[in-house]
Amino acid sequence: MEAARKQDMPPPGGYKKIPFARVPPKTYMTGFQMFAAYGTVTTIGMYIYYLNAKVVKREDIEMRSAQNVIFPVLIAERDREFLKQLRRNRDEEAKLMANVKGWEVGTWYGEPIYKTIPKDKLMPPTYHEFFIHSDSKTQYNRANVKMWS
């Protein structure tokens, strides 16, 4: 016995249409509105930048003025510390060579080291002469510091 065959047919009224047409996106702004928004945002941004640039310039001038004011004080303090270290070196030399007969501080057994230079002129010591009586760690640490002036 053979079963009756039934053909698959479309529903009554047919199938729905297949959507294949392009669906354009929803427009929120027109071209003119977009240019107007760009111009507005740019103008506001430029104004805020201008206000900020004024503040930055004013603070920069203030910082440079402060640096110009304090620079001579820092130089004077550096020179003062330099002379104090020279004094410490002379005192240490006097204490170290106290038992040596004929030794005068700042000379070589009474003879001046620099014969062509007046006695009241300061000859700056070399790096190693300056740190001669300090510990080696201080000398090595200072050797790696960039000189400021």
Side-chain angles (χ1 to χ4, degrees):
M1 184 154 122
E2 209 171 292
R5 295 187 182 160
K6 186 174 175 185
Q7 186 175 356
D8 193 16
M9 296 297 286
Y15 291 111
K16 283 191 337 185
K17 292 192 177 213
I18 298 174
F20 65 91
R22 181 178 175 272
V23 179
K26 185 175 179 184
T27 57
Y28 293 102
M29 296 169 74
T30 64
F32 177 75
Q33 289 172 331
M34 289 172 67
F35 279 118
Y38 171 77
T40 304
V41 169
T42 302
T43 304
I44 292 170
M46 294 285 282
Y47 180 68
I48 292 172
Y49 177 81
Y50 168 73
L51 293 178
N52 189 38
K54 278 183 16 179
V55 171
V56 168
K57 186 176 181 182
R58 186 171 49 245
E59 288 175 357
D60 187 43
I61 289 171
E62 185 176 344
M63 284 305 294
R64 277 188 277 133
S65 298
Q67 288 172 349
N68 289 339
V69 166
I70 201 166
F71 189 70
V73 174
L74 293 175
I75 295 296
E77 282 298 314
R78 184 197 63 186
D79 293 345
R80 184 173 167 265
E81 186 57 36
F82 177 76
L83 292 175
K84 283 171 64 176
Q85 181 62 38
L86 291 182
R87 177 42 113 192
R88 286 192 290 264
N89 287 351
R90 287 182 66 90
D91 293 345
E92 188 69 26
E93 180 183 348
K95 189 168 64 172
L96 184 68
M97 302 300 281
N99 297 332
V100 178
K101 190 174 183 180
W103 185 265
E104 289 180 37
V105 175
T107 65
W108 180 254
Y109 289 100
E111 249 185 78
I113 298 171
Y114 301 104
K115 297 183 182 189
T116 60
I117 295 175
K119 288 189 175 210
D120 60 345
K121 177 154 172 72
L122 173 67
M123 279 303 294
T126 64
Y127 177 79
H128 294 292
E129 288 174 350
F130 186 75
F131 287 102
I132 194 69
H133 296 295
S134 64
D135 59 334
S136 59
K137 184 177 180 183
T138 304
Q139 184 177 357
Y140 293 137
N141 286 343
R142 181 66 179 124
N144 295 326
V145 174
K146 181 181 177 186
M147 300 302 255
W148 287 86
S149 62

